[in-house]
Coordinates of all heavy atoms in Angstrom, one line a residue:
M277 N 30.5 -30.7 39.0 CA 30.2 -29.6 38.1 C 28.7 -29.3 38.2 O 27.9 -30.2 38.4 CB 30.5 -30.1 36.7 CG 29.8 -29.2 35.6 SD 30.1 -29.6 33.9 CE 30.2 -31.3 33.8
S278 N 28.4 -28.1 38.2 CA 26.9 -27.7 38.2 C 26.6 -26.7 37.1 O 27.5 -26.1 36.5 CB 26.6 -26.9 39.5 OG 27.3 -25.8 39.6
H279 N 25.4 -26.7 36.7 CA 25.0 -25.8 35.6 C 23.5 -25.5 35.9 O 22.9 -26.2 36.7 CB 25.1 -26.5 34.3 CG 24.3 -27.7 34.1 ND1 24.5 -28.9 34.6 CD2 23.1 -27.8 33.5 CE1 23.7 -29.8 34.4 NE2 22.7 -29.2 33.7
T280 N 23.0 -24.5 35.2 CA 21.6 -24.1 35.3 C 20.8 -25.1 34.5 O 21.1 -25.4 33.3 CB 21.4 -22.7 34.6 OG1 22.3 -21.8 35.3 CG2 20.0 -22.3 34.8
K281 N 19.8 -25.6 35.2 CA 19.0 -26.7 34.6 C 18.2 -26.0 33.4 O 17.9 -24.8 33.3 CB 17.9 -27.2 35.6 CG 18.6 -27.8 36.8 CD 19.4 -29.0 36.5 CE 20.0 -29.7 37.8 NZ 21.1 -30.5 37.5
G282 N 17.9 -26.9 32.4 CA 17.1 -26.4 31.2 C 15.6 -26.3 31.5 O 15.3 -26.6 32.7
P283 N 14.8 -26.0 30.6 CA 15.3 -25.8 29.2 C 15.9 -24.5 28.9 O 15.4 -23.5 29.5 CB 14.0 -26.1 28.4 CG 12.9 -25.6 29.3 CD 13.4 -25.9 30.7
W284 N 16.8 -24.5 28.1 CA 17.5 -23.2 27.6 C 16.8 -22.9 26.3 O 16.5 -23.8 25.5 CB 18.9 -23.4 27.5 CG 19.7 -23.6 28.7 CD1 19.3 -23.8 30.0 CD2 21.1 -23.9 28.9 NE1 20.2 -24.0 30.9 CE2 21.4 -24.1 30.2 CE3 22.2 -23.9 28.0 CZ2 22.6 -24.3 30.7 CZ3 23.4 -24.2 28.4 CH2 23.6 -24.4 29.8
T285 N 16.7 -21.7 25.9 CA 16.2 -21.3 24.6 C 17.1 -20.5 23.9 O 18.2 -19.9 24.4 CB 14.9 -20.5 24.8 OG1 15.0 -19.4 25.6 CG2 13.7 -21.4 25.5
V286 N 16.8 -20.3 22.6 CA 17.7 -19.4 21.7 C 16.9 -18.3 21.2 O 15.7 -18.3 20.9 CB 18.1 -20.3 20.6 CG1 19.0 -19.5 19.5 CG2 19.0 -21.4 21.0
N287 N 17.6 -17.1 21.2 CA 17.0 -15.9 20.7 C 17.8 -15.4 19.5 O 19.0 -15.1 19.7 CB 16.9 -14.8 21.8 CG 16.3 -13.5 21.3 OD1 16.3 -13.1 20.1 ND2 15.9 -12.7 22.2
L288 N 17.2 -15.3 18.3 CA 18.0 -14.9 17.1 C 17.6 -13.6 16.7 O 17.8 -13.3 15.5 CB 17.9 -16.0 16.0 CG 18.4 -17.4 16.4 CD1 18.1 -18.4 15.3 CD2 19.9 -17.4 16.7
K289 N 16.9 -12.9 17.4 CA 16.4 -11.5 17.1 C 17.5 -10.6 17.1 O 18.4 -10.6 18.0 CB 15.2 -11.1 18.0 CG 14.1 -11.9 17.9 CD 13.0 -11.5 18.8 CE 11.8 -12.4 18.8 NZ 10.9 -12.2 20.0
G290 N 17.6 -9.7 16.1 CA 18.7 -8.7 16.1 C 20.0 -9.3 15.5 O 19.9 -10.3 14.6
A291 N 21.1 -8.8 15.7 CA 22.3 -9.1 15.1 C 23.1 -10.3 15.8 O 24.1 -10.8 15.2 CB 23.2 -7.9 14.9
D292 N 22.7 -10.6 17.0 CA 23.4 -11.6 17.8 C 22.5 -12.8 18.0 O 21.3 -12.7 18.3 CB 23.9 -11.0 19.0 CG 25.0 -9.9 18.9 OD1 25.8 -10.2 17.9 OD2 25.0 -8.9 19.6
A293 N 23.2 -13.9 18.2 CA 22.5 -15.2 18.7 C 22.7 -15.1 20.2 O 23.8 -14.9 20.8 CB 23.1 -16.4 18.1
K294 N 21.6 -15.4 21.0 CA 21.7 -15.5 22.4 C 21.1 -16.7 22.9 O 20.2 -17.3 22.4 CB 21.0 -14.3 23.1 CG 21.6 -13.0 22.7 CD 20.7 -11.8 23.3 CE 21.2 -10.5 22.8 NZ 21.8 -9.6 23.6
V295 N 21.7 -17.2 24.1 CA 21.1 -18.4 24.7 C 20.5 -17.8 26.0 O 21.2 -17.1 26.8 CB 22.1 -19.5 25.1 CG1 21.6 -20.6 25.9 CG2 22.7 -20.1 23.7
I296 N 19.2 -18.3 26.4 CA 18.5 -17.7 27.5 C 18.3 -18.9 28.4 O 17.6 -19.9 28.1 CB 17.3 -17.0 27.1 CG1 17.6 -15.9 26.0 CG2 16.5 -16.5 28.3 CD1 16.4 -15.4 25.3
C297 N 18.6 -18.8 29.6 CA 18.4 -19.7 30.8 C 17.0 -19.4 31.4 O 16.5 -18.4 31.2 CB 19.4 -19.6 31.8 SG 21.1 -20.0 31.3
P298 N 16.5 -20.5 32.0 CA 15.1 -20.3 32.6 C 15.0 -19.2 33.6 O 13.9 -18.6 33.8 CB 14.9 -21.7 33.3 CG 15.7 -22.6 32.5 CD 16.9 -21.9 32.1
D299 N 16.1 -18.9 34.3 CA 16.1 -17.7 35.2 C 16.2 -16.4 34.6 O 16.3 -15.4 35.3 CB 17.3 -18.0 36.3 CG 18.6 -18.0 35.7 OD1 18.8 -17.6 34.5 OD2 19.6 -18.2 36.3
G300 N 16.2 -16.4 33.3 CA 16.2 -15.1 32.5 C 17.6 -14.5 32.1 O 17.8 -13.6 31.3
R301 N 18.7 -15.2 32.6 CA 20.0 -14.7 32.2 C 20.2 -15.0 30.7 O 19.7 -16.1 30.2 CB 21.1 -15.4 33.0 CG 21.1 -14.9 34.4 CD 22.3 -15.7 35.1 NE 21.9 -17.0 35.2 CZ 22.8 -18.0 35.4 NH1 24.1 -17.8 35.5 NH2 22.5 -19.3 35.5
E302 N 20.8 -14.0 30.0 CA 21.2 -14.2 28.5 C 22.6 -14.3 28.3 O 23.4 -13.6 29.0 CB 20.5 -13.0 27.8 CG 19.0 -13.0 27.8 CD 18.5 -11.9 26.9 OE1 19.3 -11.2 26.1 OE2 17.3 -11.7 26.8
F303 N 23.1 -15.1 27.5 CA 24.4 -15.3 27.1 C 24.6 -15.0 25.6 O 24.0 -15.7 24.7 CB 24.9 -16.7 27.5 CG 24.9 -16.9 29.0 CD1 23.8 -17.5 29.4 CD2 25.9 -16.5 29.8 CE1 23.7 -17.8 30.8 CE2 25.8 -16.7 31.1 CZ 24.7 -17.3 31.7
D304 N 25.3 -14.0 25.2 CA 25.6 -13.6 23.8 C 26.6 -14.6 23.2 O 27.7 -14.7 23.8 CB 26.1 -12.2 23.8 CG 26.2 -11.7 22.4 OD1 25.7 -12.4 21.5 OD2 26.8 -10.6 22.3
I305 N 26.1 -15.4 22.2 CA 27.0 -16.4 21.5 C 27.8 -15.7 20.5 O 28.9 -16.1 20.1 CB 26.1 -17.4 21.0 CG1 25.2 -18.1 22.1 CG2 27.0 -18.5 20.3 CD1 26.0 -18.4 23.3
G306 N 27.2 -14.7 19.8 CA 28.0 -13.9 18.8 C 27.2 -13.4 17.6 O 26.0 -13.8 17.5
D307 N 27.8 -12.7 16.8 CA 27.3 -12.1 15.6 C 26.7 -13.1 14.7 O 27.4 -14.1 14.3 CB 28.3 -11.2 15.0 CG 27.8 -10.5 13.7 OD1 27.7 -11.2 12.7 OD2 27.5 -9.2 13.8
I308 N 25.5 -12.9 14.2 CA 24.9 -13.9 13.2 C 24.9 -13.3 11.9 O 24.6 -14.0 10.8 CB 23.6 -14.4 13.6 CG1 22.5 -13.3 13.8 CG2 23.7 -15.4 14.9 CD1 21.1 -13.7 14.2
L309 N 25.1 -12.0 11.7 CA 25.1 -11.4 10.4 C 26.4 -11.8 9.6 O 26.2 -12.0 8.3 CB 25.0 -9.8 10.5 CG 23.9 -9.3 11.1 CD1 23.9 -7.7 11.3 CD2 22.5 -9.7 10.4
Y310 N 27.5 -11.9 10.2 CA 28.6 -12.2 9.4 C 29.2 -13.6 9.8 O 30.1 -14.2 9.1 CB 29.8 -11.2 9.8 CG 29.4 -9.8 9.3 CD1 29.0 -8.8 10.3 CD2 29.5 -9.5 8.0 CE1 28.7 -7.6 9.8 CE2 29.2 -8.1 7.6 CZ 28.8 -7.3 8.5 OH 28.4 -6.1 8.1
H311 N 28.7 -14.2 10.8 CA 29.0 -15.6 11.2 C 27.7 -16.5 11.4 O 27.3 -16.7 12.5 CB 29.8 -15.5 12.5 CG 31.1 -14.7 12.5 ND1 32.2 -15.1 11.9 CD2 31.3 -13.4 12.9 CE1 33.1 -14.1 11.9 NE2 32.5 -13.0 12.6
E312 N 27.3 -17.0 10.2 CA 26.1 -17.7 10.3 C 26.1 -18.9 11.2 O 25.2 -19.3 11.7 CB 25.8 -18.2 8.8 CG 24.5 -19.0 8.5 CD 23.4 -18.1 8.6 OE1 23.4 -16.8 8.3 OE2 22.2 -18.6 8.7
D313 N 27.4 -19.5 11.4 CA 27.4 -20.7 12.3 C 27.2 -20.5 13.7 O 26.8 -21.3 14.5 CB 28.8 -21.4 12.1 CG 30.0 -20.5 12.5 OD1 29.8 -19.2 12.3 OD2 31.0 -21.0 12.8
N314 N 27.1 -19.2 14.1 CA 26.7 -18.8 15.5 C 25.3 -19.2 15.9 O 24.9 -19.4 17.0 CB 27.0 -17.4 15.8 CG 28.5 -17.1 16.1 OD1 29.2 -18.0 16.5 ND2 28.9 -15.9 15.8
K315 N 24.4 -19.2 14.7 CA 23.0 -19.7 15.0 C 23.1 -21.2 15.5 O 22.5 -21.5 16.5 CB 22.2 -19.6 13.8 CG 21.8 -18.2 13.3 CD 21.1 -18.2 12.0 CE 20.8 -16.8 11.6 NZ 20.0 -16.9 10.3
D316 N 23.8 -22.0 14.7 CA 23.9 -23.4 15.0 C 24.6 -23.6 16.4 O 24.2 -24.5 17.2 CB 24.7 -24.2 13.9 CG 23.9 -24.3 12.7 OD1 22.7 -24.2 12.7 OD2 24.6 -24.3 11.6
N317 N 25.6 -22.8 16.7 CA 26.4 -22.9 17.9 C 25.4 -22.6 19.1 O 25.4 -23.3 20.2 CB 27.6 -21.9 18.1 CG 28.6 -22.2 17.0 OD1 28.7 -23.4 16.5 ND2 29.5 -21.2 16.7
A318 N 24.5 -21.5 18.9 CA 23.5 -21.2 20.0 C 22.6 -22.4 20.3 O 22.3 -22.7 21.4 CB 22.8 -20.0 19.6
H319 N 22.1 -23.0 19.1 CA 21.2 -24.2 19.4 C 21.9 -25.3 20.0 O 21.3 -26.0 20.8 CB 20.7 -24.6 18.0 CG 19.6 -23.6 17.4 ND1 18.3 -23.6 18.0 CD2 19.6 -22.7 16.4 CE1 17.6 -22.6 17.3 NE2 18.4 -22.1 16.4
L320 N 23.1 -25.6 19.7 CA 23.9 -26.6 20.3 C 24.1 -26.3 21.8 O 24.0 -27.3 22.6 CB 25.3 -26.8 19.6 CG 26.2 -28.0 20.1 CD1 25.5 -29.4 20.0 CD2 27.4 -28.0 19.3
I321 N 24.4 -25.2 22.2 CA 24.6 -24.8 23.5 C 23.3 -24.9 24.3 O 23.3 -25.4 25.4 CB 25.2 -23.4 23.6 CG1 26.7 -23.3 23.1 CG2 25.1 -22.8 25.2 CD1 27.2 -21.9 22.9
A322 N 22.2 -24.5 23.7 CA 20.9 -24.5 24.4 C 20.4 -26.0 24.6 O 19.7 -26.2 25.6 CB 19.9 -23.8 23.5
V323 N 20.8 -26.9 23.8 CA 20.3 -28.3 24.0 C 21.3 -29.1 24.9 O 21.1 -30.2 25.3 CB 20.1 -29.0 22.6 CG1 21.4 -29.4 22.0 CG2 19.2 -30.2 22.8
S324 N 22.4 -28.5 25.3 CA 23.4 -29.2 26.1 C 22.8 -29.8 27.4 O 23.3 -30.9 27.8 CB 24.7 -28.4 26.3 OG 24.4 -27.3 27.1
P325 N 21.9 -29.1 28.1 CA 21.4 -29.8 29.3 C 20.7 -31.2 29.0 O 20.8 -32.1 29.8 CB 20.4 -28.8 30.0 CG 20.9 -27.5 29.4 CD 21.5 -27.7 28.0
D326 N 20.0 -31.1 27.9 CA 19.3 -32.4 27.4 C 20.3 -33.5 27.1 O 20.1 -34.6 27.4 CB 18.4 -32.2 26.3 CG 17.2 -31.1 26.7 OD1 16.9 -31.2 27.8 OD2 16.8 -30.4 25.8
L327 N 21.3 -33.1 26.4 CA 22.4 -34.1 25.9 C 23.1 -34.6 27.2 O 23.3 -35.8 27.2 CB 23.4 -33.4 25.0 CG 22.9 -33.1 23.6 CD1 23.9 -32.1 22.9 CD2 22.6 -34.3 22.8
L328 N 23.4 -33.7 28.1 CA 24.0 -34.1 29.4 C 23.1 -35.1 30.1 O 23.5 -36.2 30.7 CB 24.4 -33.0 30.3 CG 25.0 -33.3 31.6 CD1 26.2 -34.0 31.5 CD2 25.2 -32.1 32.5
A329 N 21.8 -34.9 30.2 CA 20.9 -35.7 30.9 C 20.8 -37.2 30.2 O 20.8 -38.1 30.9 CB 19.5 -35.1 30.9
A330 N 20.8 -37.1 28.9 CA 20.7 -38.4 28.2 C 22.0 -39.2 28.5 O 22.0 -40.4 28.5 CB 20.6 -38.2 26.6
C331 N 23.2 -38.6 28.4 CA 24.4 -39.2 28.7 C 24.4 -39.8 30.1 O 24.8 -41.0 30.3 CB 25.6 -38.3 28.5 SG 25.9 -37.8 26.8
K332 N 24.0 -39.1 31.0 CA 23.9 -39.6 32.4 C 23.0 -40.7 32.6 O 23.4 -41.7 33.2 CB 23.5 -38.4 33.4 CG 24.6 -37.4 33.6 CD 24.1 -36.3 34.6 CE 25.2 -35.4 34.9 NZ 24.7 -34.4 35.9
R333 N 21.8 -40.6 32.0 CA 20.9 -41.8 32.0 C 21.4 -43.1 31.3 O 21.3 -44.1 31.8 CB 19.6 -41.5 31.4 CG 18.8 -40.4 32.3 CD 17.3 -40.2 31.7 NE 16.7 -39.2 32.5 CZ 16.4 -38.0 31.9 NH1 16.6 -37.6 30.8 NH2 15.8 -37.1 32.8
H334 N 22.2 -42.8 30.3 CA 22.7 -44.0 29.5 C 23.8 -44.6 30.5 O 23.8 -45.9 30.6 CB 23.3 -43.6 28.2 CG 23.9 -44.7 27.5 ND1 23.0 -45.7 26.9 CD2 25.2 -45.1 27.3 CE1 23.9 -46.6 26.4 NE2 25.1 -46.3 26.5
I335 N 24.7 -43.8 31.1 CA 25.7 -44.3 32.0 C 25.0 -45.1 33.2 O 25.5 -46.1 33.5 CB 26.6 -43.2 32.5 CG1 27.5 -42.7 31.4 CG2 27.5 -43.6 33.7 CD1 28.3 -41.5 31.6
E336 N 24.0 -44.6 33.8 CA 23.3 -45.2 34.8 C 22.8 -46.5 34.4 O 22.8 -47.5 35.1 CB 22.1 -44.4 35.4 CG 22.6 -43.1 36.1 CD 21.4 -42.1 36.4 OE1 20.3 -42.5 36.0 OE2 21.7 -41.1 36.9
Y337 N 22.2 -46.6 33.2 CA 21.7 -47.9 32.7 C 22.8 -48.9 32.5 O 22.6 -50.0 32.9 CB 21.0 -47.6 31.3 CG 20.7 -48.9 30.6 CD1 19.7 -49.7 31.1 CD2 21.5 -49.3 29.6 CE1 19.4 -51.0 30.5 CE2 21.3 -50.6 29.0 CZ 20.2 -51.4 29.4 OH 20.1 -52.7 28.9
E338 N 23.8 -48.5 31.9 CA 25.0 -49.4 31.7 C 25.6 -49.9 32.9 O 25.9 -51.0 33.0 CB 26.1 -48.6 30.8 CG 25.7 -48.4 29.4 CD 25.6 -49.7 28.6 OE1 26.2 -50.8 28.9 OE2 24.8 -49.7 27.7
A339 N 25.6 -49.0 34.0 CA 26.1 -49.4 35.3 C 25.2 -50.4 36.0 O 25.7 -51.2 36.7 CB 26.3 -48.2 36.2
S340 N 24.0 -50.4 35.7 CA 23.0 -51.2 36.3 C 22.6 -52.4 35.6 O 22.0 -53.4 36.0 CB 21.7 -50.5 36.7 OG 21.1 -50.1 35.5
A341 N 23.1 -52.5 34.3 CA 22.7 -53.6 33.4 C 23.4 -54.9 34.0 O 24.5 -54.9 34.5 CB 23.3 -53.3 32.0
D342 N 22.7 -56.0 33.8 CA 23.3 -57.3 34.1 C 24.4 -57.6 33.1 O 24.3 -57.7 31.9 CB 22.2 -58.4 33.9 CG 22.6 -59.8 34.3 OD1 23.9 -59.9 34.6 OD2 21.8 -60.7 34.3
S343 N 25.7 -57.8 33.7 CA 26.8 -58.0 32.9 C 26.8 -59.3 32.1 O 27.6 -59.5 31.1 CB 28.0 -57.9 33.7 OG 28.0 -58.9 34.7
T344 N 25.9 -60.2 32.5 CA 25.8 -61.5 31.7 C 24.9 -61.4 30.5 O 24.8 -62.3 29.7 CB 25.2 -62.6 32.7 OG1 24.0 -62.2 33.1 CG2 26.3 -62.8 33.7
D345 N 24.2 -60.2 30.5 CA 23.3 -60.0 29.4 C 23.8 -59.0 28.5 O 23.7 -57.8 28.7 CB 21.8 -59.7 29.9 CG 20.8 -59.4 28.8 OD1 21.1 -59.7 27.6 OD2 19.7 -58.9 29.1
P346 N 24.4 -59.4 27.3 CA 24.9 -58.3 26.4 C 23.9 -57.5 25.6 O 24.4 -56.4 25.1 CB 25.8 -59.1 25.4 CG 25.0 -60.4 25.4 CD 24.5 -60.7 26.8
N347 N 22.6 -57.8 25.7 CA 21.7 -57.0 25.0 C 20.8 -56.3 25.9 O 20.1 -56.9 26.7 CB 20.8 -58.0 24.0 CG 21.7 -58.8 23.1 OD1 22.5 -58.2 22.5 ND2 21.6 -60.0 23.0
P348 N 20.7 -54.9 25.7 CA 19.8 -54.1 26.5 C 18.3 -54.6 26.1 O 18.1 -55.0 25.1 CB 20.0 -52.8 26.1 CG 20.7 -52.8 24.9 CD 21.4 -54.1 24.7
T349 N 17.4 -54.3 27.0 CA 16.0 -54.6 26.7 C 15.5 -53.6 25.5 O 16.1 -52.5 25.4 CB 15.1 -54.4 27.9 OG1 15.1 -53.0 28.3 CG2 15.5 -55.3 29.1
V350 N 14.6 -54.1 24.8 CA 14.1 -53.2 23.8 C 13.5 -52.0 24.3 O 13.7 -50.9 23.7 CB 13.1 -54.1 23.0 CG1 12.4 -53.2 21.9 CG2 13.6 -55.3 22.3
E351 N 12.9 -52.1 25.4 CA 12.2 -50.8 26.0 C 13.2 -49.8 26.4 O 13.0 -48.7 26.1 CB 11.4 -51.3 27.2 CG 10.6 -50.1 27.9 CD 9.8 -50.6 29.1 OE1 9.3 -51.7 29.1 OE2 9.8 -49.8 30.1
M352 N 14.3 -50.3 27.0 CA 15.3 -49.3 27.5 C 16.0 -48.7 26.3 O 16.3 -47.6 26.1 CB 16.3 -50.0 28.4 CG 15.8 -50.3 29.8 SD 15.4 -48.9 30.6 CE 17.0 -48.5 31.4
A353 N 16.3 -49.6 25.2 CA 17.1 -49.1 24.1 C 16.2 -48.1 23.4 O 16.7 -47.0 22.9 CB 17.4 -50.3 23.2
S354 N 14.9 -48.4 23.3 CA 14.0 -47.5 22.6 C 13.9 -46.1 23.3 O 13.9 -45.1 22.7 CB 12.6 -48.1 22.6 OG 11.7 -47.3 22.0
R355 N 13.8 -46.2 24.7 CA 13.8 -44.9 25.4 C 15.0 -44.0 25.2 O 14.9 -42.9 25.0 CB 13.6 -45.3 26.9 CG 13.3 -44.1 27.8 CD 13.1 -44.4 29.1 NE 14.2 -44.0 29.9 CZ 14.5 -44.5 31.1 NH1 13.8 -45.4 31.7 NH2 15.5 -44.0 31.7
Y356 N 16.2 -44.6 25.2 CA 17.4 -43.9 25.0 C 17.5 -43.3 23.6 O 18.0 -42.2 23.3 CB 18.7 -44.7 25.4 CG 18.7 -44.9 26.9 CD1 18.6 -46.1 27.4 CD2 18.8 -43.8 27.7 CE1 18.7 -46.3 28.8 CE2 18.8 -43.9 29.1 CZ 18.7 -45.2 29.7 OH 18.7 -45.4 30.9
M357 N 17.0 -44.2 22.6 CA 17.1 -43.7 21.2 C 16.1 -42.4 21.0 O 16.5 -41.5 20.4 CB 16.6 -44.8 20.3 CG 17.6 -45.9 20.2 SD 19.2 -45.4 19.5 CE 18.7 -45.2 17.8
E358 N 15.0 -42.5 21.7 CA 14.0 -41.4 21.7 C 14.7 -40.1 22.4 O 14.5 -39.0 21.8 CB 12.7 -41.7 22.4 CG 11.9 -42.6 21.6 CD 10.7 -43.1 22.4 OE1 10.5 -42.6 23.5 OE2 10.0 -44.0 21.9
M359 N 15.4 -40.2 23.4 CA 16.0 -39.1 24.1 C 17.1 -38.5 23.3 O 17.2 -37.4 23.2 CB 16.6 -39.6 25.5 CG 15.6 -39.9 26.6 SD 16.2 -40.7 28.0 CE 17.7 -39.7 28.3
M360 N 17.9 -39.4 22.7 CA 18.9 -38.9 21.9 C 18.5 -38.2 20.6 O 19.0 -37.2 20.2 CB 20.0 -40.0 21.6 CG 20.8 -40.5 22.8 SD 22.0 -41.7 22.3 CE 21.4 -43.0 23.5
A361 N 17.4 -38.8 20.0 CA 16.9 -38.3 18.8 C 16.2 -36.9 19.1 O 16.4 -36.0 18.3 CB 15.8 -39.2 18.2
A362 N 15.5 -36.7 20.3 CA 15.0 -35.5 20.7 C 16.0 -34.4 20.8 O 15.9 -33.2 20.4 CB 14.1 -35.6 21.9
A363 N 17.1 -34.7 21.4 CA 18.2 -33.8 21.6 C 18.8 -33.4 20.3 O 19.1 -32.2 20.1 CB 19.3 -34.5 22.6
I364 N 19.0 -34.3 19.5 CA 19.6 -34.0 18.1 C 18.6 -33.1 17.2 O 19.1 -32.2 16.7 CB 19.9 -35.3 17.4 CG1 21.1 -36.1 18.0 CG2 20.2 -35.0 15.8 CD1 21.3 -37.5 17.6
D365 N 17.3 -33.5 17.4 CA 16.3 -32.6 16.7 C 16.4 -31.2 17.2 O 16.0 -30.3 16.4 CB 15.0 -33.2 16.8 CG 14.7 -34.5 16.0 OD1 15.6 -34.7 15.0 OD2 13.8 -35.2 16.3
A366 N 16.7 -31.0 18.5 CA 16.6 -29.6 19.0 C 17.8 -28.8 18.5 O 17.8 -27.6 18.7 CB 16.6 -29.7 20.5
I367 N 18.8 -29.4 17.9 CA 20.0 -28.7 17.5 C 19.6 -28.0 16.2 O 19.0 -28.4 15.3 CB 21.2 -29.6 17.3 CG1 21.6 -30.3 18.6 CG2 22.3 -28.9 16.7 CD1 22.6 -31.3 18.6

């Protein structure tokens, strides 16, 4: 699977929510005058590259973790918590 790398941004000007890729392409998410949830949908879509990166990094960490040590290091756990919190805050 491939996708356009982030950061993606959201444009809420006018009647529609749009997601804009770094290469300038715009994707119309839908009317925001009658469907207020389209604003949130646009923000969720825009943050998806960051969420995907956080998931991939977590999987890489889990795959490389010592199976005899059930506790991740505080440093690694803190880093992943920061990444996930940043992605959630962007929504």
Side-chain angles (χ1 to χ4, degrees):
M277 169 180 27
S278 66
H279 66 278
T280 302
K281 304 294 182 198
W284 297 357
T285 57
V286 174
N287 180 339
L288 299 175
K289 295 176 184 167
D292 294 322
K294 297 178 188 240
V295 173
I296 304 168
C297 294
D299 63 9
R301 288 180 295 155
E302 293 186 3
F303 298 92
D304 188 8
I305 306 307
D307 180 282
I308 58 176
L309 297 177
Y310 298 103
H311 302 283
E312 183 76 19
D313 59 337
N314 281 337
K315 290 179 184 179
D316 294 332
N317 294 340
H319 285 286
L320 182 59
I321 292 166
V323 78
S324 63
D326 297 329
L327 291 171
L328 178 62
C331 290
K332 285 181 176 181
R333 287 187 187 115
H334 183 71
I335 290 169
E336 289 170 4
Y337 167 75
E338 289 294 330
S340 67
D342 181 354
S343 61
T344 61
D345 181 7
N347 299 314
T349 66
V350 173
E351 181 181 324
M352 289 296 272
S354 176
R355 190 173 108 202
Y356 291 117
M357 292 296 288
E358 288 173 8
M359 288 170 50
M360 288 183 240
I364 290 168
D365 287 343
I367 295 174

